[in-house]
Amino acid sequence: MTSSAHHQPILHNPFVLDLFAGPGGLDVAGHAFDIPSLGIEWDRSACLTRYAAGLDTLHADVSAVRRDSFESLPPEINVLAGGPPCQTYSVAGHGAGRQALDRVKKYIDRLMAGEPDQKIDEELKSLPDPRTALVLEPLRYAIQATRSPNRGHRPYDVIVLEQVPAVAPLWKHYAKVLEDIGLPDETKYKVVFGILDTETFGVPQTRSRAVLIARRVGLGEPSLPEATHRSYEAKEWNWKSGTSEPDRAAGQVHQPTLNEGATASTSGEEPPRCRSMRDALAEPVGSHPGRRTRFLVRSNYGSSGNPGRRGVRTDEQPAATVTGRISRFVVFEHLDDDIVYEGPRFSMNEAGMLQSFPPDYPWSGTGQAQQVGNAVPPLFGAHLLSAALGLHEPDPEALRKPWQPATKEQQAKLRSNGCGAADACTDRCPRPEDQVPPPSSVRPRKGKQTPAK
């Protein structure tokens, strides 16, 4: 269900706690509405990006904060948001989470029944990939809020979650227990969930996400955001005649065109075509010089499991799903006479803009491509917050203005609060060696499984 009702804010002063906050996609979304947020993120480089962007941050393990320092979180937080790590659920991943879906559902039921955390934590250690259990953390935070003396045992008013489509069955189970059973203190929520395509919300990229929006009973019926653009259909795009796959591989690439029938509007209310890479990158803005020369992008990545979304795209199409491999996308530039040559690959600034981050967002530290790929597209996040909180639709132009980074003094203060020191990590920060995936010997493989040792 999508919303067409008049906007009616449901909270006077929303304050977002963003679990697994990454480099700041949802925080940037909140910034568009002047909504304060606090992000918890354990990757050091993502935190450096957040500090440079001026975002309040805790460099910490989400699970450890819940266990050991929940009472230190600001008690005025009333919106819980999170996009748990997707590697074990992603189509591109090893699939440990997909194989553990039924097992995780049982843990959800046990948590809602009030079973002790310590017992469940001990059992979760047996999962082949410990990241699979992180999808439980939003629920565990929601429960912990009702047990917190610092909050006056007050539950969160709104919950907003997003993940890869493979997690949809878990969001469905979340919805069932939040509506029918309620938290252990009997707090219940009204919930909607579904799979949305980011290009239908103005993001110049095809990316499908399973989302959940919950409002505490008494705050009105929630609804999913209403699409602002048409979805991308690969079948609507045809290569001009006379071009074969070997020709394209050799660089003799012709411009694809949208079928005439696909652009015809049957009514004046039909939304516009989804935004393209050219829409996002052609014009100069901030330090971005603009990509005025027409280009093609070749990629075998970023299909969201849909083979029709792979392959070659032109600048008149949205980008394939931006992942940590965005720096491997090969960009071919071509002139009007069809002379084709390999051009510069996407810069991190451009990759961020394809994710709908503002130009000049201060990507920092190492693994910047992975940071970009892991982030919630800010414009998509803004639509989620808009629907969840009853706000007006976000202004896309606000996210196309160059981002103003924090000063060195501001960064030092943020890092002192987030890491414990103004210029370095401290003992309270997660250790880098704890952030690597488990050995391949415990990752599920096709065929015979190797047991964890």
Side-chain angles (χ1 to χ4, degrees):
M1 178 175 62
T2 57
S3 173
S4 59
H6 293 294
H7 301 293
Q8 183 61 48
I10 65 169
L11 299 176
H12 292 299
N13 296 295
F15 188 158
V16 178
L17 176 63
D18 186 9
L19 309 180
F20 316 103
L26 200 63
D27 305 77
V28 173
H31 185 269
F33 296 109
D34 294 323
I35 296 175
S37 60
L38 171 64
I40 304 177
E41 173 57 42
W42 85 336
D43 180 75
R44 176 181 177 274
S45 290
C47 286
L48 292 179
T49 295
R50 294 178 60 84
Y51 298 145
L55 304 177
D56 286 329
T57 304
L58 290 179
H59 183 195
D61 179 345
V62 164
S63 300
V65 171
R66 172 182 53 77
R67 288 193 306 267
D68 306 326
S69 54
F70 189 92
E71 293 302 295
S72 68
L73 297 175
E76 61 268 30
I77 289 173
N78 52 10
V79 179
L80 178 67
C86 69
Q87 289 91 339
T88 66
Y89 296 94
S90 172
V91 173
H94 290 270
R98 299 196 302 278
Q99 296 182 24
L101 282 174
D102 289 339
R103 187 174 177 184
V104 173
K105 288 178 183 178
K106 293 178 181 178
Y107 284 121
I108 290 174
D109 293 336
R110 292 168 60 183
L111 286 167
M112 296 297 271
E115 196 162 322
D117 283 337
Q118 296 83 352
K119 181 178 180 181
I120 290 179
D121 283 337
E122 192 62 33
E123 291 186 26
L124 289 174
K125 293 178 182 178
S126 66
L127 289 173
D129 189 328
R131 293 173 298 180
T132 300
L134 294 176
V135 76
L136 296 170
E137 285 299 333
L139 180 60
R140 304 185 82 171
Y141 267 73
I143 293 171
Q144 190 66 26
T146 67
R147 298 171 176 169
S148 168
N150 187 44
R151 293 181 53 85
H153 307 279
R154 180 170 49 87
Y156 296 119
D157 292 316
V158 174
I159 301 173
V160 181
L161 305 176
E162 64 88 36
Q163 246 279 17
V164 293
V167 176
L170 290 185
W171 288 169
K172 181 178 181 180
H173 200 63
Y174 257 65
K176 183 179 187 315
V177 297
L178 287 172
E179 286 196 328
D180 297 344
I181 300 174
L183 302 178
D185 75 333
E186 299 184 353
T187 296
K188 291 186 178 182
Y189 291 81
K190 293 290 186 178
V191 187
V192 291
F193 63 93
I195 297 177
L196 302 178
D197 296 327
T198 61
E199 76 269 17
T200 65
F201 296 94
V203 179
Q205 167 200 176
T206 53
R207 187 186 194 100
S208 298
R209 306 301 286 177
V211 303
L212 176 148
I213 295 175
R215 290 181 181 177
R216 186 170 51 80
V217 168
L219 293 175
E221 292 282 344
S223 59
L224 297 177
E226 186 173 299
T228 58
H229 293 70
R230 278 183 283 163
S231 62
Y232 172 76
E233 295 291 344
K235 65 183 180 182
E236 294 180 350
W237 292 86
N238 290 327
W239 292 97
K240 287 185 177 180
S241 60
T243 306
S244 65
E245 188 64 39
D247 289 335
R248 292 200 295 275
Q252 298 174 10
V253 188
H254 291 259
Q255 176 77 14
T257 56
L258 190 65
N259 289 344
E260 290 184 11
T263 61
S265 175
T266 57
S267 73
E269 298 181 356
E270 185 176 3
R273 194 179 73 185
C274 54
R275 294 186 71 239
S276 68
M277 290 183 279
R278 183 169 181 78
D279 293 332
L281 303 179
E283 298 299 325
V285 56
S287 65
H288 173 59
R291 280 191 181 251
R292 305 307 294 269
T293 303
R294 308 304 295 274
F295 64 85
L296 311 169
V297 181
R298 179 187 296 153
S299 170
N300 288 324
Y301 311 109
S303 66
S304 292
N306 183 347
R309 292 186 168 193
R310 290 194 183 117
V312 177
R313 294 193 186 183
T314 77
D315 59 352
E316 292 293 342
Q317 295 168 274
T321 302
V322 174
T323 70
R325 291 165 169 163
I326 182 65
S327 58
R328 303 186 196 181
F329 287 14
V330 180
V331 180
F332 293 97
E333 296 184 340
H334 62 99
L335 307 177
D336 292 339
D337 57 0
D338 281 340
I339 297 175
V340 180
Y341 57 92
E342 185 170 341
R345 299 193 178 189
F346 292 132
S347 67
M348 286 303 101
N349 191 22
E350 290 175 317
M353 291 166 69
L354 293 176
Q355 272 275 58
S356 74
F357 275 89
D360 295 338
Y361 197 71
W363 303 102
S364 305
T366 60
Q368 293 181 18
Q370 195 65 51
Q371 292 182 50
V372 175
N374 287 347
V376 178
L379 182 55
F380 180 64
H383 279 280
L384 292 180
L385 290 178
S386 169
L389 301 175
L391 305 175
H392 59 81
E393 284 190 357
D395 177 11
E397 295 304 320
L399 293 173
R400 294 175 196 151
K401 297 178 181 178
W403 186 267
Q404 297 300 316
T407 65
K408 290 184 178 180
E409 292 76 15
Q410 290 170 330
Q411 292 184 49
K413 182 177 179 180
L414 288 167
R415 190 165 190 184
S416 180
N417 293 336
C419 292
D423 58 356
C425 289
T426 65
D427 289 343
R428 81 183 196 191
C429 299
R431 299 180 304 171
E433 57 267 30
D434 291 336
Q435 299 181 30
V436 297
S440 59
S441 61
V442 301
R443 296 178 183 176
R445 298 182 183 276
K446 294 180 179 180
K448 185 177 180 181
Q449 301 296 311
T450 303
K453 295 181 180 180

